[in-house]
Amino acid sequence: MYGTAWKEERTPGLTELAIRTGFRAIDTANQRRHYFEAGVGEGLAACYEAGIVTRADLFLQTKFTYVPGQDHRLPYDPHADLSTQVAQSMASSLEHLRTDHVDSYVLHGPASGHGWTEYDAEVWTAMVRERDAGRTRVLGVSNVSLRHLQQMTAAGAAPPAFVQNRCFARLGWDRAVRAFCRERGIVYQGFSLLTANPEVLGHLIVMRIAAKNHATPAQVVFRFARAVGMLPLTGTSSAEHMKQDLASDAIALSDDEVRAIESLAG
Ligand SMILES: NC(=O)c1ccc[n+]([C@@H]2O[C@H](COP(=O)([O-])OP(=O)(O)OC[C@H]3O[C@@H](n4cnc5c(N)ncnc54)[C@H](OP(=O)(O)O)[C@@H]3O)[C@@H](O)[C@H]2O)c1
């Protein structure tokens, strides 16, 4: 999945380039502080006009972000109740992305790092309403711990289709959360697979596998992520890296190599 964070005025061009290169899933957020969602929409429109893809060929994912995660450029009325903020944020996302629905709508992060709160329950109920109204196909949560997921489940919340987390190799590549997801058919989306794990990219095991496959260590990490059932995100700004990231699917990894990478840092 191609991630569009931190691209600012390069967002339209890089979104278009990613689609031209072969990406079909795009991740963004209605959080101007880190994403330029309207720029993503501009890039998508350029692809439609050029006849490269239609809306139906794409998987579009965006997010609802609480006020503390935003700067002054808010996509909703900060004085409105949370349910209204979700509805306003979604309406603004659809306008930015020039579509009548997204494929996945993600809660960018729970209100508290410590657990699933009543605020999250209210937001999630509003997100379910958006799904039921056809404005998103599925829902997801991001930046969650196992505790968040367990409490969310215990509270009787509708289960998410996706979990999107920063994936640290030293935590067994988020082992506990991935196991929770696997048991429930939730797809785990991993981000910062390269930037959170420099020790992996320079590890002898990974370098050897890369050399054997005439690949880069980054490609080995993405291929590994797929092998353990993750949907990896890349936000590269380089045309060459876009091609390499997509081509990483062709790397041959044995079960022993997957196990070795899975356990090399934690
Ligand atoms: N839910 C959340 O809170 C959250 C938080 C962070 C990110 N995300 C999502 O995840 C996406 C990816 O973010 P990220 O944190 O994983 O970092 P990223 O933006 O993908 O950055 C990866 C870094 O690694 C470098 N790189 C070197 N070789 C590469 C290769 N072969 N392929 C890709 N990158 C390579 C890139 O440089 P080059 O540009 O030169 O290739 C870049 O500096 C974001 O755009 C966003 O959509 C979500």
Side-chain angles (χ1 to χ4, degrees), residues 33-46:
R33 180 177 171 188
H34 293 305
Y35 297 79
F36 178 23
E37 196 184 43
V40 174
E42 203 181 315
L44 298 177

Side-chain angles (χ1 to χ4, degrees), residues 1-2 15-16 18-27 40-41 43-49 52-61 97-99 101-104 137:
M1 186 181 302
Y2 186 69
T15 302
E16 182 180 345
I19 292 171
R20 282 183 183 275
T21 310
F23 285 91
R24 291 295 176 265
I26 304 289
D27 177 78
V40 174
L44 298 177
C47 291
Y48 303 150
E49 268 165 42
I52 302 160
V53 287
T54 65
R55 167 70 185 88
D57 297 322
L58 299 178
F59 175 95
L60 302 181
Q61 175 169 278
L97 297 171
R98 310 182 193 193
T99 184
H101 73 285
V102 290
D103 297 281
S104 168
R137 285 179 40 233

Side-chain angles (χ1 to χ4, degrees), residues 153-237:
T153 307
F162 292 112
V163 163
Q164 182 183 102
N165 267 4
R166 180 166 280 123
C167 193
F168 290 101
R170 66 173 179 276
L171 302 177
W173 305 89
D174 213 1
R175 188 177 283 121
V177 170
R178 285 192 298 119
F180 181 97
C181 291
R182 195 166 43 243
E183 283 158 20
R184 289 164 180 78
I186 299 167
V187 174
Y188 181 98
Q189 301 178 3
F191 65 84
S192 302
L193 282 160
L194 306 182
T195 49
N197 305 308
E199 75 282 12
V200 170
L201 294 168
H203 200 286
L204 205 57
I205 292 176
V206 173
M207 302 222 309
R208 273 202 195 121
I209 297 170
K212 198 177 73 184
N213 284 278
H214 307 289
T216 66
Q219 286 180 299
V220 173
V221 168
F222 286 129
R223 177 67 186 89
F224 158 76
R226 300 277 285 182
V228 295
M230 274 187 227
L231 172 51
L233 280 119
T234 172
T236 181
S237 297

